[in-house]
Amino acid sequence: MPPDAAAPARPVPGRPVLTLVLAHIRTALPGIALCAAVMALAFAAVWGEARLFGEPWIEALVLAILIGTALRTMWTPSAFWRPGIAFSAKILLEVAVVLLGATVSAATILSAGPALLLGIAAVVLVTVAAGFGIGRLLGLPPRMALLVACGNAICGNSAIAAVAPVIDADSEDVAASIAFTAVLGVAVVLALPVIGLGLKLSGVQYGALAGLTVYAVPQVIAAAAPLGTTAVQVGTLVKLVRVLMLGPVCLILSLLAPRFDRNASDARRLATPPVHHLVPWFIQGFLAMIALRSLDLIPQAALMPMGHAATLLTVVSMAALGLGVDVRTVARAGGRVTAAVVLCLLMLGAVSLGLIHAIGLA
């Protein structure tokens, strides 16, 4: 939530709950509408990219945060807008994470085989830990270092967006992490086929490399396509397993988050969080959606609409984050964040190649 956001209304004795809920909705609607307008501009820009270049190079999610940040630079939202902006940045984002779980099934995950599954998990955990260490060595604050590390290790923008509420990251940290991760993510998509051809990787090997290093599923497909259908299939599978690691990583971070808070008391840092805080509600929902999808309890006709809804809600929430960003704070962090993302990417690529050769992918 932006620091200057209006405080939520508190229950008043004797006031009907429905009246209070309706008051919350009325208060939030203007800000939500503003975020939706920024989202519409982002998708219009994506359409324009496709018309000009044949395909969009910058995702709507990134464009939404850039447009929101540009608007925030020129204009400071008043109390009329802030409740809806705060609601979009937090609640809508958490709902999007829940819906994301419907895109993953247990059958898809298990088809990868135990060696590859364990290897993917190891790569993610090693990259998160090492990426956090790199960020701290470069002087990044703990939360931003975690955002950069998780974005590189799991699924770029989506991982940053999911981890942010778990560790209570500031809007500026989220915006900076997404902006620099997104720019370098496009560079990876362009450079990876050249690397794969240079290393003479097979379709299976290259697909695994793309799935382990590229951020978003569409980007994995784009990066893997030059080396054939097998590369695309393997890359997509590996990428989906990487996305699944979002749940365990968020669980671990929910346990460790108080220890990164300099303002927390020693007792809070050392205390075990309550059971309902161990797994945030939206991560529980994410895992429940995977279970429902695996048991075929989600109708096939609902899967595509749920995926689209997750995308729309994520873009709206990124617009809200952009509207809460002071661009000067992002600019001050630029050099260090860029260096951290680049070093994390290089390390991720090296670890991924090591895994591919260690488990003997042909």
Side-chain angles (χ1 to χ4, degrees), residues 2-31:
D4 55 353
R10 295 180 181 277
V12 176
R15 188 177 182 184
V17 174
L18 180 59
T19 302
L20 183 61
V21 171
L22 292 175
H24 273 292
I25 293 173
R26 284 195 300 270
T27 302
L29 276 178

Side-chain angles (χ1 to χ4, degrees), residues 168-185:
D168 195 25
D170 295 333
S171 295
E172 288 85 357
D173 290 348
V174 175
S177 303
I178 285 179
F180 290 105
T181 299
V183 170
L184 291 171

Side-chain angles (χ1 to χ4, degrees), residues 63-358:
L63 289 169
I65 204 166
L66 293 176
I67 294 170
T69 301
L71 182 58
R72 174 65 176 81
T73 301
M74 298 182 289
W75 166 70
T76 301
S78 66
F80 178 72
W81 306 99
R82 289 196 292 267
I85 293 173
F87 178 85
S88 300
K90 178 174 171 57
I91 303 301
L92 294 186
L93 176 58
E94 294 174 349
V95 173
V97 173
V98 173
L99 294 175
L100 183 65
T103 65
V104 184
S105 71
T108 300
I109 296 162
L110 294 175
S111 67
L116 184 56
L117 288 176
L118 292 174
I120 294 169
V123 167
V124 169
L125 295 176
V126 167
T127 304
V128 169
F132 175 74
I134 290 171
R136 294 297 289 145
L137 287 174
L138 290 171
L140 296 185
R143 288 185 177 86
M144 182 177 283
L146 278 173
L147 292 176
V148 170
C150 292
N152 277 279
I154 306 173
C155 50
N157 301 331
S158 299
I160 292 170
V163 167
V166 176
I167 63 174
D168 195 25
D170 295 333
S171 295
E172 288 85 357
D173 290 348
V174 175
S177 303
I178 285 179
F180 290 105
T181 299
V183 170
L184 291 171
V186 173
V188 171
V189 171
L190 297 174
L192 205 61
V194 177
I195 295 172
L197 291 170
L199 295 175
K200 295 181 171 55
L201 298 178
S202 68
V204 172
Q205 291 172 330
Y206 179 74
L209 178 63
L212 286 165
T213 56
V214 179
Y215 296 145
V217 173
Q219 290 179 336
V220 170
I221 295 171
L227 273 77
T229 304
T230 300
V232 172
Q233 293 173 343
V234 173
T236 303
L237 173 61
V238 171
K239 175 60 190 171
L240 290 176
V241 177
R242 257 176 90 200
V243 171
L244 182 62
M245 288 299 297
L246 189 59
V249 167
C250 284
L251 170 59
I252 293 170
L253 291 181
S254 69
L255 293 169
L256 298 178
R259 292 165 172 79
F260 297 113
D261 188 353
R262 293 181 179 178
N263 297 320
S265 65
D266 291 339
R268 179 170 179 263
R269 289 177 184 171
L270 297 175
T272 301
V275 173
H276 66 282
H277 287 164
L278 291 179
V279 185
W281 77 268
F282 57 94
I283 297 302
Q284 295 179 41
F286 174 82
L287 297 174
M289 280 293 184
I290 294 175
L292 291 174
R293 168 74 185 276
S294 303
L295 295 170
D296 289 327
L297 296 178
I298 300 177
Q300 288 294 319
L303 294 178
M304 185 174 292
M306 290 173 74
H308 290 323
T311 299
L312 291 176
L313 290 175
T314 302
V315 176
V316 168
S317 67
M318 291 302 102
L321 287 173
L323 287 166
V325 168
D326 182 346
V327 72
R328 292 167 296 184
T329 303
V330 176
R332 285 195 295 268
R336 290 174 294 152
V337 175
T338 302
V341 174
V342 169
L343 290 174
C344 285
L345 271 173
L346 292 174
M347 180 200 62
L348 176 60
V351 172
S352 299
L353 284 172
L355 171 67
I356 290 167
H357 291 295

Side-chain angles (χ1 to χ4, degrees), residues 35-77:
C35 295
V38 173
M39 176 193 70
L41 289 175
F43 279 112
V46 168
W47 178 85
E49 286 183 273
R51 291 295 300 269
L52 286 173
F53 308 113
E55 60 180 313
W57 289 100
I58 304 178
E59 300 174 36
L61 190 150
V62 178
L63 289 169
I65 204 166
L66 293 176
I67 294 170
T69 301
L71 182 58
R72 174 65 176 81
T73 301
M74 298 182 289
W75 166 70
T76 301

